[in-house]
């Protein structure tokens, strides 16, 4: 996933290990794009790489809005967003402060 993002020049890539904190996924990958078109290209690159690896995305959200696209690959959920959207929602802080529910 990170390689697919880096191939299309993703910015500020971050991986968050959420195992033991949620049953939804094991890892969240966050990345920024420089424009709505770039965000869409990053998400498309992740989907293409996943397909090549035999992984099917169970869900893609926000592909029409393109300021935040979520790609759910099961064990990995990828959030690709514009920098202002990422700063506003601050998912890193949200998960850093989450209690260990496991």
């Amino acid at each position: 996933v990170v390689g697919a993002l880096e191939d299309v020049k993703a910015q500020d890539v971050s991986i968050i290990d959420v195992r033991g904190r949620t049953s939804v996924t094991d890892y969240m990958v966050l990345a920024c794009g420089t424009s709505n078109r770039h965000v869409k290209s990053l998400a498309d690159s992740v989907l293409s790489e996943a397909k090549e690896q035999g992984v099917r995305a169970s869900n893609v959200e926000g592909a029409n809005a393109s300021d935040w696209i979520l790609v759910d690959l099961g064990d990995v959920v990828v959030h690709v967003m514009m920098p202002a959207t990422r700063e506003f929602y601050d998912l890193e802080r949200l998960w850093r402060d989450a209690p260990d529910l496991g």
Side-chain angles (χ1 to χ4, degrees):
V1 169
V2 173
L5 291 167
E6 290 175 342
D7 286 348
V8 193
K9 308 287 189 235
Q11 297 180 344
D12 199 15
V13 177
S14 176
I15 303 167
I16 303 171
D17 183 346
V18 294
R19 292 176 294 179
R21 294 183 176 191
T22 181
S23 61
V24 174
T25 191
D26 290 338
Y27 297 94
M28 289 193 187
V29 177
L30 289 81
C32 289
T34 57
S35 67
N36 287 350
R37 181 173 291 195
H38 188 215
V39 168
K40 177 85 168 102
S41 294
L42 291 166
D44 288 345
S45 178
V46 169
L47 288 166
S48 177
E49 177 67 23
K51 185 176 180 180
E52 287 177 17
Q53 299 296 323
V55 176
R56 199 173 81 112
S58 61
N59 200 16
V60 177
E61 295 286 335
N64 294 331
S66 294
D67 62 331
W68 181 355
I69 300 176
L70 180 146
V71 180
D72 185 348
L73 301 172
D75 292 340
V76 178
V77 173
V78 182
H79 299 269
V80 184
M81 40 186 117
M82 293 293 295
T85 304
R86 184 171 178 175
E87 183 179 335
F88 181 79
Y89 288 100
D90 199 5
L91 295 179
E92 288 96 340
R93 181 191 51 78
L94 175 73
W95 285 102
R96 179 185 65 234
D97 295 341
D100 186 352
L101 302 176

